[in-house]
Amino acid sequence: MKIGDIDLGCQPVLLAPMEDVTDASFRILCREQGAAMVYTEFVPSDGLIRDAAKAIAKMRTIPQEAPVGIQVYGNIPQSMVEAARMAENAAEIAGGYGCDLVDINFGCPVNKIAGRGAGSGMMREPDKMVAITRMIVDAVRKPVTVKTRLGWDENSKIIVELAERLQDAGIKALTIHGRTRCQMYKGEADWTLIGEVKNNPRMHIPIIGNGDVSTPQRARECFSRYGVDGIMVGRASFGHPWIFREMRHYLDTGELLPPLSVAERVSLAKRHLALSIELKGESRGVFEMRRHLSCYFKGLPDFKETRIRLVTTTDVSELYDTLDYVAGRWGDTPLENPVGVYGI
């Protein structure tokens, strides 16, 4: 699968952008574990054009992440165009590597974004969505992609026609989450319309499917049953970044890898923690790892007190000691892979 000149190989598995999850440390870890491409957290267009430090910082990437996309959201056309230009020039504006493509977020369903007409809120204004997309495509040189949903609600699943219009506007790939905005993350993702988009003879850009891809077997089914060019994994990667290695191995060989031991999970957690501290500094790096650490060990018996230590200590040495304790006490404990532990 190619997005513009970006070659992601056959049946690539991509990391979905997730707010408060896909920071640089997590993106690097997922790339190391086999993710074909990663995306930044959502970057607000209004924050960028105001030179808000937090929004600009979200655009900072490093070479180990590449290929990486910067995802922007908003609903004001000129602000979105300017934000896309800034994303394209992120290396100069935010420092670091920059990006390989600009992704437009027309899919986020949370109220603070969709409720004000951005993200999947744009599904109620498809003409405006297409117009913004065309303006961005015309304004930047790098490939532009879109991530969206099936529609606003059960009665307005417009994705088949909308996909054609977005393609005509010039995007180089389309990611579709198999739910409507009103579903949020409830119920099962419906891949039938994703497959219909992919099998539309008018479509020639890559179609990437997203939603409830939480096992290697499901990944293979999505490729074979719906014919998509790529799949995107979101919530199932939280507390489980090695899911990309498992999926890649199964797609390539048809064999399932055994679940990681607790000791192996500890090694990955330490790698993640070291990256977080390296990129953010000790205090912030430790603090922002709290949302990840306990999820690495979800399902361990008699783990409550240890989990509390993992998510409350501010001392790096104590944190590493606690992880060593986890490996020593539960290292050989059988533990199934977590599925969708991030509750968004």
Side-chain angles (χ1 to χ4, degrees):
M1 183 183 96
K2 295 183 73 173
I3 301 177
D5 293 330
I6 307 166
D7 191 345
L8 300 178
C10 181
Q11 297 187 327
V13 184
L14 292 70
L15 172 66
M18 292 179 285
E19 186 69 2
D20 295 328
V21 176
T22 54
D23 61 6
S25 60
F26 190 68
R27 297 192 303 261
I28 293 169
L29 191 63
C30 290
R31 283 283 290 131
E32 291 175 351
Q33 291 296 310
M37 186 170 179
V38 297
Y39 294 79
T40 64
E41 300 169 81
F42 321 145
V43 182
S45 57
D46 53 353
L48 282 182
I49 65 174
R50 293 197 314 267
D51 289 330
K54 185 175 181 181
I56 291 173
K58 284 185 176 182
M59 295 198 304
R60 191 176 192 280
T61 62
I62 60 177
Q64 293 96 306
E65 302 176 47
V68 55
I70 293 179
Q71 189 184 75
V72 298
Y73 75 87
N75 67 338
I76 300 173
Q78 286 305 132
S79 297
M80 286 288 284
V81 169
E82 184 58 30
R85 288 186 177 126
M86 294 178 72
E88 182 175 54
N89 295 293
E92 292 76 27
I93 295 170
Y97 171 77
C99 70
D100 297 281
L101 61 79
V102 177
D103 189 62
I104 309 173
N105 179 338
F106 290 143
C108 181
V110 300
N111 287 333
K112 68 178 182 179
I113 294 176
R116 57 191 180 96
S120 60
M122 292 296 297
M123 299 299 290
R124 291 185 290 186
E125 299 183 272
D127 292 344
K128 185 177 181 181
M129 179 194 295
V130 173
I132 289 174
T133 301
R134 183 174 288 109
M135 291 171 66
I136 290 174
V137 168
D138 291 343
V140 302
R141 300 176 304 279
K142 291 187 176 178
V144 175
T145 60
V146 163
K147 186 172 190 288
T148 190
R149 289 189 165 225
L150 302 180
W152 176 258
D153 58 23
E154 189 67 23
N155 298 317
S156 59
K157 293 182 177 179
I158 61 174
I159 189 58
V160 176
E161 177 188 355
L162 179 63
E164 291 189 17
R165 297 181 65 189
L166 290 169
Q167 175 180 260
D168 292 344
I171 65 171
K172 299 301 184 183
L174 175 65
T175 300
I176 306 169
H177 181 101
R179 290 182 175 88
T180 65
R181 186 274 166 183
C182 289
Q183 282 183 273
M184 301 293 286
Y185 293 95
K186 297 176 182 177
E188 293 185 3
D190 178 7
W191 278 67
T192 56
L193 285 178
I194 300 176
E196 190 172 332
V197 171
K198 173 58 192 173
N199 293 308
N200 179 350
R202 281 208 68 242
M203 298 299 296
H204 55 79
I205 61 173
I207 302 300
I208 302 161
N210 175 228
D212 297 346
V213 187
S214 57
T215 66
Q217 298 95 319
R218 178 58 175 162
R220 171 177 273 190
E221 180 187 11
C222 289
F223 279 116
S224 61
R225 183 173 180 180
Y226 302 104
V228 292
D229 300 283
I231 60 174
M232 186 174 282
V233 176
R235 291 174 295 162
S237 69
F238 190 65
H240 187 187
W242 60 94
I243 193 172
F244 297 99
R245 178 159 57 90
E246 293 171 332
M247 288 183 173
R248 185 75 270 143
H249 184 81
Y250 188 71
L251 289 168
D252 291 342
T253 69
E255 300 175 352
L256 289 171
L257 291 173
L260 289 192
S261 68
V262 174
E264 289 171 317
R265 295 180 189 215
V266 166
S267 294
L268 275 179
K270 285 182 174 180
R271 169 64 175 156
H272 194 173
L273 175 60
L275 284 168
S276 186
I277 292 171
E278 176 186 346
L279 295 169
K280 299 178 180 179
E282 185 172 305
S283 177
R284 185 179 165 207
V286 168
F287 178 79
E288 295 193 1
M289 272 297 294
R290 289 178 176 178
R291 65 175 70 100
H292 293 274
L293 279 176
S294 64
C295 293
Y296 275 91
F297 312 108
K298 187 176 177 66
L300 273 181
D302 305 315
F303 194 64
K304 182 178 179 180
E305 289 185 7
T306 306
R307 178 180 288 108
I308 292 172
R309 284 160 56 191
L310 284 174
V311 301
T312 56
T313 183
T314 58
D315 183 82
V316 175
S317 296
E318 183 179 343
L319 195 50
Y320 276 108
D321 288 345
T322 302
L323 288 169
D324 287 336
Y325 169 76
V326 172
R329 178 173 175 183
W330 288 283
D332 297 324
T333 303
L335 189 60
E336 291 301 314
N337 287 323
V339 177
V341 298
Y342 184 47
I344 61 172

